[in-house]
Amino acid sequence: MLCIKNGYVIDPKSGLEGYRDILIKDGKIVEIEEQGKISVDAQNERVEYIIDAGGKMVSPGLVDVHVHFRDPGFTYKEDIESGAAAAAKGGFTTVVLMANTKPTVDNEETLDYVIKKGKKTGINVYTCANVTKGMKGQELVDMESLSRAGAAGFTDDGVPVLNEEILREALRKAAKLGKPISLHEENPKYITNNGINAGAASEYLGIVGSPREAEIDMVKRDIEIAAEEESDLSIQHISTKEAVELIRQIKKKSGHIFAEATPHHFTLTQEAVIKHGTLAKMNPPLREEADRMAIIEGLRDGTIDMIATDHAPHSVEEKEKPITEAPSGIIGMETSLSLGIRELVMPGYLTMMELIRKMSTAPAEFYHLDAGYIAEGGPADLVIFDKDAKRQVTKDGFASKSCNSPFVGEWLPGVVEYTICGGEVVYKDKSLIK
């Protein structure tokens, strides 16, 4: 048995907030009591491990529903084991992997490989399957068989589904299966150079870049289709103020449209590309200050439901290539909670309870996962963190195989001290080890 004492517990699902002690047995929470009311011999059994949270925050384990662990096919960037370690260090107990691996997750064999490998990591690893075979947008995968085999949802993340009829059929099938679809919304016909906003950043670099119309065009089409088909759809990593407004309006007539925002899109603008170069290159690109603030307002007013990292590891050699050749994407799981605290909670845009809902409860609910809450009888998936403590982000401090982050060198608030998954400590801050 494990007992967490003296923690400040926040649970968005029940609204619980306050000092509590939590008793854990066999991977489940068996008791939640007022501070000091759980004795070390509770239920006449010896408590094997006591964590004194010392007033630190205790929340449901974070849930990241948009990550790339690059396995199979690109394991020099990341693999399922190293990705899970990075997740645990960031406070995540549950992740949903994207399907743009090599081979892609468009078949049961690859899906089974990912699921089985994920079960060995200590955290909850789920994966999406593809919408179309080979992510080519021409033929649907066997959604029924992949759903039965354990796919958490469906996505061709990395590319949009351009064929409208294929998307409609996918949404219809997904609705019948009770599985969500999540979409990468950038129309390639508008894009000359991906990963860089067509504006101040592209002008500085002397390239054409990627205009906002690429996202607006696809979002406008796809939310209308999903609303018509009454199928749950998430718009991934939203980057423009216009797309935020489109989602705000569609939500007034449909309960099937959801949206996610990344920490980098509510923290940075295209100025970061001028400063950091390829380390701030991502799809969709960082936009303007007005877009960043629109995303924050969308998070504040509920237009944007979830925060997801789009954790995208790349090697140093890849990111050292010229701006138009280097791959897009940054790692994000180990800085996500900190950026949420700094950019959203500290300025007063969100409460801590609201932040944890966006990072845990809401994404778990969208994917119908048994996660993102604290309750007796529920999973013992928890994170203990010090919201006030700061730590410096360093290249050699990541648990990820990669270090492609524009936040290296910064001091960020919110230090994860323990991550507990299934009642087991899967991460402990080294400074706590005596």
Side-chain angles (χ1 to χ4, degrees), residues 9 134 144 216 223 229 283 287 296 318 377 392 399 401-402 404 425:
V9 176
E144 291 84 357
I216 298 165
I223 60 176
E229 300 297 341
N283 300 335
R287 307 271 185 200
I296 290 175
E318 289 170 323
Q392 188 176 31
K401 282 187 178 181
S402 297
N404 53 307
V425 175

Side-chain angles (χ1 to χ4, degrees), residues 129-255:
N130 294 116
V131 175
T132 65
K133 292 183 179 180
M135 296 175 58
K136 295 179 179 179
Q138 299 173 1
E139 183 181 359
L140 283 182
V141 298
D142 186 341
M143 297 177 73
E144 291 84 357
S145 67
L146 288 165
S147 178
R148 288 193 300 270
F154 296 91
T155 182
D156 275 2
D157 178 47
V159 295
V161 180
L162 294 174
N163 187 299
E164 181 176 331
E165 287 309 310
I166 285 179
L167 178 60
R168 282 188 182 275
E169 182 63 19
L171 286 164
R172 292 183 194 125
K173 288 188 175 183
K176 290 179 182 178
L177 294 168
K179 300 286 186 177
I181 285 181
S182 55
L183 295 179
H184 183 118
E185 301 288 46
E186 288 186 290
N187 192 331
K189 77 177 184 180
Y190 292 97
I191 300 171
T192 303
N193 310 106
N194 69 9
I196 306 297
N197 185 52
S202 63
E203 291 171 8
Y204 175 83
L205 294 167
I207 60 177
V208 178
S210 175
R212 62 203 309 108
E213 287 77 16
E215 176 174 278
I216 298 165
D217 179 68
M218 295 302 299
V219 170
K220 186 175 182 179
R221 187 199 74 168
D222 292 349
I223 60 176
E224 292 289 347
I225 294 173
E228 291 169 10
E229 300 297 341
E230 298 184 341
S231 179
D232 287 350
L233 172 69
S234 174
I235 303 300
Q236 297 179 315
H237 41 44
I238 195 165
S239 73
T240 62
K241 61 184 180 181
E242 292 88 351
V244 174
E245 185 58 28
L246 284 168
I247 293 167
R248 179 177 288 116
Q249 295 306 315
I250 198 75
K251 276 176 170 273
K252 294 178 181 179
K253 62 180 184 180
S254 174

Side-chain angles (χ1 to χ4, degrees), residues 49 57 63 65 71 90 160 273 297 299 308 318 361 372 384 393 434:
Y49 193 6
M57 310 296 293
V63 178
V65 294
D71 190 355
V273 181
E297 178 58 21
L299 287 164
E318 289 170 323
T361 313
I384 303 172
V393 182
K434 304 298 185 182

